[in-house]
């Protein structure tokens, strides 16, 4: 037994000298990788920071840090997108249903239907006002919120113009330049054509909202 003690001591010393025990750098890298696997990005970054203090130019540590920060950013972006979608998806669906079935010229909407749709739209304005401070200036989904807000305004304006044109019909399109003809520009300025133009904008707003969200979701998987 007395002979075994020196042998064990020699073995331990040899292991230490041969580097079989992890260095600080290796320990931090291992912990960083484990944290990344578990999606604990803050823990991973903390350990990789320490690894880079030990070896600032290590290419593996630099590459892993970059990957970790990218995954963290995507994870944070996804949470924002999910939260925004939760806040606005029902409104998008409602606007879509209120705009479905209308033809391009908006001449298949009756006065009574327009009155009804304007009333249905009113509570949505309150919701948009409530959501504006939260999403209007958001760097990720701010543009999508702007599209949804514009879609609401344009659909509401479309129906309001239909009501106005029914209650106060325009007799004739004015020949503003006095040439005896109604130009395309003069026709577009006529109130009877305005609902159609505004409704086209509504459709574009809705498409832009959906496309923006789809692209954001694809880029932050």
């Amino acid at each position: 037994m007395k002979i075994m003690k020196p042998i064990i001591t020699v073995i331990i010393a040899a292991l230490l000298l041969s580097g079989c025990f992890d260095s600080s750098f290796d320990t931090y890298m291992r912990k960083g990788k484990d944290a990344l696997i578990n999606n604990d990005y803050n823990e991973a970054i903390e350990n990789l920071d320490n690894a880079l203090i030990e070896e600032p130019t290590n290419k593996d540590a630099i590459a892993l840090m970059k990957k970790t920060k990218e995954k963290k950013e995507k994870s944070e972006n996804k949470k924002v997108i999910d939260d925004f979608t939760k806040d606005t998806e029902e409104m998008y669906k409602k606007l879509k249903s209120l705009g479905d079935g209308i033809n391009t010229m908006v001449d298949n909407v009756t006065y009574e239907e327009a009155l009804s749709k304007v009333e249905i739209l009113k509570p949505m304005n309150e919701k948009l006002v409530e959501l504006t401070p939260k999403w209007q200036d958001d760097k990720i989904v701010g543009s999508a919120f702007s599209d949804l807000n514009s879609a609401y305004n344009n659909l509401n304006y479309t129906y309001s113009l239909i009501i106005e044109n029914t209650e106060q019909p325009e007799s004739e399109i004015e020949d503003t330049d006095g040439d005896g003809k109604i130009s395309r520009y003069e026709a577009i300025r006529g109130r009877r054509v305005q609902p159609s133009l505004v409704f086209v904008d509504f459709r574009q707003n809705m498409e832009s909202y959906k496309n923006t969200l789809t692209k954001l979701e694809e880029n932050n998987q």
Side-chain angles (χ1 to χ4, degrees), residues 11-21:
I11 291 172
I12 293 172
L15 288 171
L16 286 169
L17 291 172
S18 65
C20 289
F21 289 104

Side-chain angles (χ1 to χ4, degrees), residues 181-197:
K181 299 178 182 178
I182 300 301
S183 67
R184 183 175 181 275
Y185 174 72
E186 288 165 338
I188 289 173
R189 289 188 65 191
R191 281 197 290 129
R192 283 177 290 179
V193 183
Q194 286 300 308
S196 173
L197 300 177

Side-chain angles (χ1 to χ4, degrees), residues 35-166:
L36 182 57
I37 289 171
N38 293 322
N39 298 325
D40 189 345
Y41 303 116
N42 290 331
E43 178 72 16
I45 288 171
E46 182 180 343
N47 280 286
L48 293 172
D49 268 335
N50 289 329
L52 286 167
I53 290 172
E54 297 290 329
E55 296 188 25
T57 60
N58 186 281
K59 291 181 179 179
D60 290 338
I62 292 170
L64 191 58
M65 176 65 89
K66 181 182 178 183
K67 178 182 178 181
T68 301
K69 287 183 175 180
E70 288 174 349
K71 287 179 74 67
K72 180 185 178 184
E73 182 180 8
K74 286 184 177 182
S75 175
E76 291 172 347
N77 288 351
K78 188 175 185 304
K79 288 178 182 178
V80 172
I81 295 163
D82 289 345
D83 189 21
F84 175 73
T85 301
K86 184 179 178 181
D87 277 351
T88 61
E89 188 172 25
E90 284 304 313
M91 187 178 300
Y92 169 81
K93 290 178 179 178
K94 191 73 172 179
L95 286 171
K96 187 175 183 302
S97 70
L98 290 171
D100 282 348
I102 303 176
N103 62 29
T104 304
M105 293 306 297
V106 198
D107 56 8
N108 64 332
V109 180
T110 66
Y111 173 70
E112 289 73 18
E113 285 173 334
L115 285 172
S116 173
K117 297 294 176 64
V118 166
E119 288 303 311
I120 294 171
L121 283 164
K122 281 181 180 179
M124 297 176 67
N125 183 57
E126 296 175 6
K127 183 65 174 177
L128 281 167
V129 170
E130 177 188 332
L131 293 175
T132 294
K134 184 177 180 180
W135 298 120
Q136 184 177 37
D137 298 320
D138 188 89
K139 65 178 182 179
I140 300 167
V141 297
S143 63
F145 182 73
S146 178
D147 287 329
L148 191 66
N149 198 36
S150 295
Y152 166 82
N153 288 329
N154 282 323
L155 186 60
N156 188 58
Y157 191 34
T158 297
Y159 288 126
S160 296
L161 284 170
I162 293 170
I163 294 167
E164 181 183 343
N165 288 346
T166 304

